[in-house]
Amino acid sequence: MRAVVIGAGVVGALIARELCRYDLTVLLFERELEVGFGVTKANSAIVHAGFHDEPGTLRARFCVKGNAFYPKLCEELGVPFRRTGAYVLALHAQEVPELERLLAQGEKNGVPGLEIQRTEEILAREPKVNPKIVAGLWAPTVGVTEPWALAQAAVENALLNGLELHLAEKVQTIEVKNGCVKGIKTDVGFYAAEIVVNAAGLFADQVARMAGLDVPEIRPRRGQYILLEGETNIHSVLFPCPTPKSKGILVVPSVDGNLLLGPTAEDVDDKADTTTTQEGLQQVREGAKRLVPDLDFSRAIKSFAGLRPETAAADFWVGPTKIRGFYQAGAMRSPGLTAAPAIARFLVHEVIATEWHLSPRNWNPRRVPPPRVADLSPEEWDELIRQDPRFGRIVCFCNLVTEGEVVEAIRRGARTIDGIKLRTRAGFGRCQGGFCTDKLLLILARELGKGAEDIKLKSERSPIVIGPVRP
């Protein structure tokens, strides 16, 4: 029996990993050059608690469960995860009823540890927040992670357990006969399959229609961000009181010690529109300064935008469909990252495995993370260099990344400059690749046996150089 998962973002990657627990052939298809290069690549990286979501929605159902899975999941896969806790801050007395509404909603959803705190208590924990706050909702189970690292690690682990990965391969049609899935056709060929899972992110509506389903349109909602380097004086995720459209502009301490500000919430027409604008970034600056007035924007090292899938119903699509063998894991708006582990387990174990009477097989849940010299003691680093001298040659001085780590990232699947960046943090620092991109380019070309002109930044449409300028 064959199962196909369409989409190698964090949702599809975790579903593929769970399917590999069973005795069947699992194929994972991704249209981009690398795992996690769609919605997963650019978002707030927050593991939400579940108090923002209306009771009775799939978001509420899977967010709290997904949050609880994160510590063990990230430990098994060697992915960074940190419980920071979070505040929703009220800057006026008129906003306090909104905190009380979120508290009641969270308690109904089963979120543990929620409490409304007074100004003095909040300032004792977070002295940099706006002293004009009048109260805050404290949520201790909120955390932060690296979404792209989680997707990559899940695929690495699935490959260890027999996954067949197809990158840069676009699904064109889904064959259905007599109400049953028979397979998929891509721009490479046809693959017979009894089970197809749609986890295609922004394109899940198009994939569902290939199977003959009448589904609402998924529209892209753009979020712009600013990244500040080394702002470690904020310890918790900070939310404003939410609006009907979004959770607002946030202040988020990242797992690597930086501070992420954003996102905006702009409905756009183009599913590839990740441009930033002067107006959007100004909105980010103003929104963040409402929460932390003395933010130092001279420490900004990057601005960027990501897209999240939105529907009119503002809820996930999860479960079986009228087409036997075709399953949905789509419309994964926030808190999709948080809900992903719970959705993967529900869909695979409670729906697919039950319906198809799948048999478990031997399965290794663990992935050995790659060495990271920045986290090693001098003695440990010396030992690594003795084993492989390439771990002694520094490529990225901002984040202390060596040639050995870059080669290991390529061995594990990196095929682009951004792929190396997201796996090693080379190019993630203050210079943003100004001093290491050429080195990464030449190492990639050497390890892949290609010319430098064949190496891409992140997609087939992003060449870096066009050829040599001298023999």
Side-chain angles (χ1 to χ4, degrees):
M1 178 175 286
R2 267 181 161 184
V4 162
V5 180
I6 303 173
V10 69
V11 176
L14 290 173
I15 289 172
R17 177 177 182 256
E18 293 298 325
L19 282 169
C20 287
R21 291 174 183 253
Y22 292 96
D23 188 17
L24 75 169
T25 301
V26 183
L27 296 81
L28 176 59
F29 288 83
E30 170 57 51
R31 58 188 282 155
E32 301 292 342
L33 295 178
E34 302 225 25
V35 170
F37 267 29
V39 174
T40 298
K41 189 180 179 184
N43 57 66
S44 302
I46 297 172
V47 177
H48 289 278
F51 57 82
H52 280 105
D53 306 303
E54 297 82 2
T57 62
L58 292 175
R59 289 184 288 119
R61 175 182 171 186
F62 288 111
C63 183
V64 179
K65 289 182 179 177
N67 179 299
F69 285 139
Y70 260 84
K72 183 180 180 188
L73 174 67
C74 290
E75 187 273 330
E76 286 179 344
L77 294 177
V79 174
F81 169 70
R82 185 157 56 95
R83 281 214 190 280
T84 60
Y87 280 109
V88 182
L89 298 174
L91 277 86
H92 308 284
Q94 297 91 323
E95 291 182 328
V96 173
E98 178 64 8
L99 300 185
E100 294 168 345
R101 185 188 72 80
L102 293 173
L103 172 63
Q105 184 166 270
E107 289 178 340
K108 193 168 185 179
N109 289 342
V111 180
L114 293 175
E115 62 174 309
I116 292 179
Q117 295 183 356
R118 299 161 60 94
T119 304
E120 298 76 16
E121 197 171 355
I122 299 168
L123 291 176
R125 187 190 297 265
E126 294 289 356
K128 294 293 183 179
V129 303
N130 192 332
K132 295 180 181 178
I133 58 170
V134 296
L137 174 64
W138 170 243
T141 58
V142 170
V144 292
T145 186
E146 286 185 338
W148 53 86
L150 181 56
Q152 291 161 356
V155 168
E156 277 186 36
N157 177 249
L159 287 166
L160 181 68
N161 287 287
L163 175 72
E164 188 178 306
L165 178 62
H166 294 252
L167 294 172
E169 194 167 339
K170 186 176 179 182
V171 176
Q172 296 178 327
T173 59
I174 296 173
E175 185 172 318
V176 176
K177 286 184 179 177
N178 302 321
C180 301
V181 163
K182 297 298 179 184
I184 67 166
K185 182 177 182 300
T186 73
D187 49 6
V188 173
F190 178 78
Y191 302 85
E194 292 84 358
I195 297 167
V196 172
V197 180
N198 177 15
L202 286 167
F203 304 95
D205 53 347
Q206 298 173 20
V207 170
R209 289 180 194 127
M210 291 177 193
L213 297 179
D214 182 17
V215 297
E217 181 183 10
I218 290 179
R219 295 186 59 80
R221 179 166 290 172
R222 184 174 62 191
Q224 299 188 45
Y225 294 89
I226 297 173
L227 183 65
L228 304 187
E229 182 192 34
E231 283 278 359
T232 57
N233 50 14
I234 302 295
H235 311 289
S236 315
V237 175
L238 304 177
F239 294 91
C241 284
T243 69
K245 188 174 183 179
S246 80
K247 297 180 178 71
I249 305 290
L250 321 179
V251 176
V252 184
S254 71
V255 291
D256 57 355
N258 294 321
L259 205 59
L260 184 64
L261 315 176
T264 56
E266 309 159 58
D267 294 325
V268 295
D269 296 323
D270 185 353
K271 291 185 177 181
D273 184 0
T274 55
T275 55
T276 57
T277 65
Q278 185 174 353
E279 295 77 14
L281 296 178
Q282 182 61 24
Q283 185 184 344
V284 172
R285 283 189 285 268
E286 291 174 358
K289 285 177 75 71
R290 283 187 74 237
L291 304 179
V292 184
D294 63 349
L295 285 170
D296 181 3
F297 284 93
S298 71
R299 304 190 70 84
I301 57 174
K302 185 176 179 62
S303 59
F304 63 96
L307 299 169
R308 43 199 192 268
E310 288 288 343
T311 62
D315 205 2
F316 305 150
W317 307 338
V318 179
T321 68
K322 66 179 183 180
I323 308 296
R324 176 166 168 73
F326 187 79
Y327 302 89
Q328 296 273 55
M332 302 299 295
R333 73 191 299 276
S334 178
L337 170 64
T338 311
I343 287 173
R345 294 186 188 209
F346 166 76
L347 194 58
V348 173
H349 304 306
E350 297 185 36
V351 179
I352 297 175
T354 301
E355 187 174 328
W356 293 88
H357 306 290
L358 300 180
S359 301
R361 67 182 175 194
N362 289 333
W363 182 74
N364 180 359
R366 308 196 74 82
R367 167 236 187 201
V368 177
R372 181 159 287 170
V373 301
D375 298 334
L376 300 179
S377 67
E379 294 77 16
E380 291 171 324
W381 191 2
D382 279 346
E383 176 57 30
L384 197 58
I385 293 171
R386 271 192 287 274
Q387 296 174 17
D388 185 340
R390 292 176 295 187
F391 284 98
R393 294 196 281 269
I394 298 173
V395 174
C396 168
F397 285 88
C398 293
N399 285 336
L400 194 57
V401 181
T402 65
E403 180 183 348
E405 292 166 88
V406 174
V407 171
E408 177 64 14
I410 297 168
R411 190 186 71 78
R412 290 173 181 248
R415 293 295 180 270
T416 64
I417 296 295
D418 273 9
I420 291 177
K421 178 179 177 180
L422 294 181
R423 283 176 171 82
T424 66
R425 296 181 183 161
F428 240 129
R430 170 158 283 274
C431 86
Q432 286 292 294
F435 291 97
C436 64
T437 297
D438 60 331
K439 301 183 183 71
L440 301 179
L441 181 95
L442 294 174
I443 295 171
L444 253 176
R446 182 192 73 204
E447 295 296 317
L448 298 179
K450 294 184 174 182
E453 65 274 17
D454 298 321
I455 301 302
K456 312 297 183 187
L457 178 64
K458 58 185 177 182
S459 72
E460 289 291 356
R461 304 172 298 282
S462 59
I464 301 170
V465 297
I466 58 174
V469 296
R470 65 183 69 171

